[in-house]
Amino acid sequence: SAPLSQMYGFGDRRERGGARAAPYSRGGDEESNPCKVFVGNLSYDTTWKGLKDHFARAGNVEYAEVLEGPNGRSKGIGIVRFGTEEEALAAIDELTETDLDGREIFVS
């Protein structure tokens, strides 16, 4: 019998034959878009607009979101999408360990 990871589509991408989306994914490019960066250690007071403004110094921000829990409170993490992969890489290099709303953020 096959391992559960293979039966249910979890596990290493090599085992699953490449770039097939995870079962919880919304259409494929959410996890692999090279223009997106993940931002952590956000203040609960940070808004999507503040996040966008902070990241604009690295390039053209097409989208910024502060993730919220079911109660509407910030989870302290966000996602920023840039126009190009180069801008996303610049954001990682230039904005990791910078201050945003009193918190030292990390970008990956």
Side-chain angles (χ1 to χ4, degrees), residues 33-37 57-60 82-94:
N33 187 332
C35 298
K36 281 188 181 180
V37 296
R57 62 178 113 163
N60 177 38
F82 289 92
T84 67
E85 183 176 359
E86 291 75 23
E87 291 169 329
L89 293 172
I92 293 169
D93 289 341
E94 298 170 16

Side-chain angles (χ1 to χ4, degrees), residues 52-59 61 94-95 98-99:
K52 180 180 179 185
D53 291 346
H54 187 76
F55 277 77
R57 62 178 113 163
V61 176
E94 298 170 16
L95 298 175
T98 59
D99 182 87

Side-chain angles (χ1 to χ4, degrees), residues 12-92:
D12 192 311
R13 283 188 173 186
R14 291 177 301 238
E15 293 174 8
R16 297 185 311 186
R20 192 170 79 194
Y24 49 82
S25 167
R26 285 190 241 149
D29 78 329
E30 294 294 317
E31 297 168 16
S32 62
N33 187 332
C35 298
K36 281 188 181 180
V37 296
F38 172 83
V39 187
N41 201 37
L42 293 175
S43 164
Y44 291 138
D45 296 326
T46 300
T47 64
W48 71 268
K49 178 78 168 110
L51 186 62
K52 180 180 179 185
D53 291 346
H54 187 76
F55 277 77
R57 62 178 113 163
N60 177 38
V61 176
E62 294 184 346
Y63 175 83
E65 178 182 14
V66 175
L67 302 179
E68 298 177 343
N71 62 358
R73 182 176 178 202
S74 170
K75 290 184 173 185
I77 57 176
I79 297 172
V80 179
R81 185 179 69 228
F82 289 92
T84 67
E85 183 176 359
E86 291 75 23
E87 291 169 329
L89 293 172
I92 293 169

